[in-house]
Amino acid sequence: DAKTTQPPSMDCAEGRAANLPCNHSTISGNEYVYWYRQIHSQGPQYIIHGLKNNETNEMASLIITEDRKSSTLILPHATLRDTAVYYCIVRVELPNSGYALNFGKGTSLLVTP
Amino acid sequence: DSGVTQTPKHLITATGQRVTLRCSPRSGDLSVYWYQQSLDQGLQFLIQYYNGEERAKGNILERFSAQQFPDLHSELNLSSLELGDSALYFCASSVEGSSDTQYFGPGTRLTVL
């Protein structure tokens, strides 16, 4: 299974862009990178996912390097409500076409006023 | 709001007891996943069901079992409870269960005394 490495914590000033890095150097060619976040003890919230190309939605942008060994999640204008633990996940394919999300420890992002 | 519902929100019980957690997936989703989040282990995949049938198993104890009913709701049964089973239990759902995004419910917090 491809593992991910993220910094344990980061700070960001409100209104600035938050850039959260993730290393996934053992990722396979057909494995997607997913980003979720968890605010306090709420259910994880889906943010974005990608395979090769950069992706953008209403919440964030995902930049994946050409060799796919790392990616960066960008929150363009962080707000206090973006304070959360952010998980970078390489989705795991299981026998019988099952899929699981292999959550690591994530990055605890603190957005400050 | 992801559209996934879980009941109850909180559950307090004693060691040795048995409890049932319930999950209703988003409308139209055929696959249900269960995850456990404890303080020391983080978020761990337990089991996946697709259209009533078990599709994938993760780190699920033999004392735990799950099922998905014809109306697609799912139940996670935990028996012979131990102190270490105290955790947040999350349910997620996806449309097909093979390659699509999982959306998480708000969780059930289980406390075993």
Side-chain angles (χ1 to χ4, degrees):
Chain A
D1 300 343
K3 292 200 187 321
T4 61
T5 304
Q6 300 177 252
S9 64
M10 293 182 64
D11 291 347
C12 178
E14 189 177 20
R16 304 297 293 268
N19 297 286
L20 291 89
C22 178
N23 183 292
H24 33 77
S25 57
T26 60
I27 194 170
S28 299
N30 61 348
E31 289 180 320
Y32 281 79
V33 177
Y34 276 74
W35 284 82
Y36 282 77
R37 72 180 183 184
Q38 187 174 27
I39 298 172
H40 195 46
S41 294
Q42 297 176 23
Q45 179 187 22
Y46 166 75
I47 301 173
I48 199 166
H49 73 281
L51 182 64
K52 295 181 189 175
N53 301 319
N54 298 338
E55 303 286 345
T56 295
N57 63 21
E58 65 279 2
M59 286 185 70
S61 294
L62 174 60
I63 309 297
I64 302 174
T65 57
E66 198 167 332
D67 63 7
R68 304 212 324 120
K69 292 185 177 182
S70 65
S71 60
T72 301
L73 178 75
I74 301 172
L75 307 179
H77 306 287
T79 71
L80 299 179
R81 288 186 294 180
D82 292 323
T83 291
V85 178
Y86 287 77
Y87 296 98
C88 169
I89 300 161
V90 175
R91 191 180 58 197
V92 176
E93 183 173 357
L94 301 171
N96 197 28
S97 301
Y99 276 85
L101 297 175
N102 193 10
F103 287 83
K105 295 189 186 302
T107 295
S108 180
L109 175 69
L110 175 64
V111 180
T112 56
Chain B
D1 183 0
S2 67
V4 179
T5 61
Q6 291 186 247
T7 56
K9 276 186 142 178
H10 302 276
L11 199 47
I12 301 175
T13 188
T15 54
Q17 295 298 305
R18 173 189 169 94
V19 296
T20 297
L21 313 184
R22 183 188 168 104
C23 168
S24 292
R26 296 183 319 158
S27 176
D29 284 1
L30 298 178
S31 200
V32 168
Y33 310 77
W34 287 97
Y35 290 80
Q36 178 193 55
Q37 185 173 33
S38 57
L39 279 174
D40 55 343
Q41 296 282 351
L43 260 158
Q44 290 205 308
F45 168 71
L46 295 178
I47 198 164
Q48 177 194 359
Y49 274 81
Y50 173 73
N51 205 18
E53 302 211 349
E54 181 184 304
R55 176 162 275 189
K57 258 186 175 178
N59 300 317
I60 188 166
L61 299 172
E62 284 193 16
R63 301 183 284 108
F64 295 1
S65 65
Q67 53 184 329
Q68 186 179 26
F69 295 86
D71 67 353
L72 301 176
H73 90 272
S74 177
E75 293 181 355
L76 180 67
N77 301 297
L78 316 175
S79 62
S80 302
L81 285 168
E82 302 175 0
L83 296 178
D85 297 328
S86 295
L88 277 164
Y89 291 84
F90 291 105
C91 166
S93 73
S94 69
V95 175
E96 294 179 0
S98 58
S99 60
D100 48 339
T101 300
Q102 298 179 27
Y103 294 91
F104 284 76
T108 292
R109 181 178 291 279
L110 174 66
T111 302
V112 182
L113 301 174

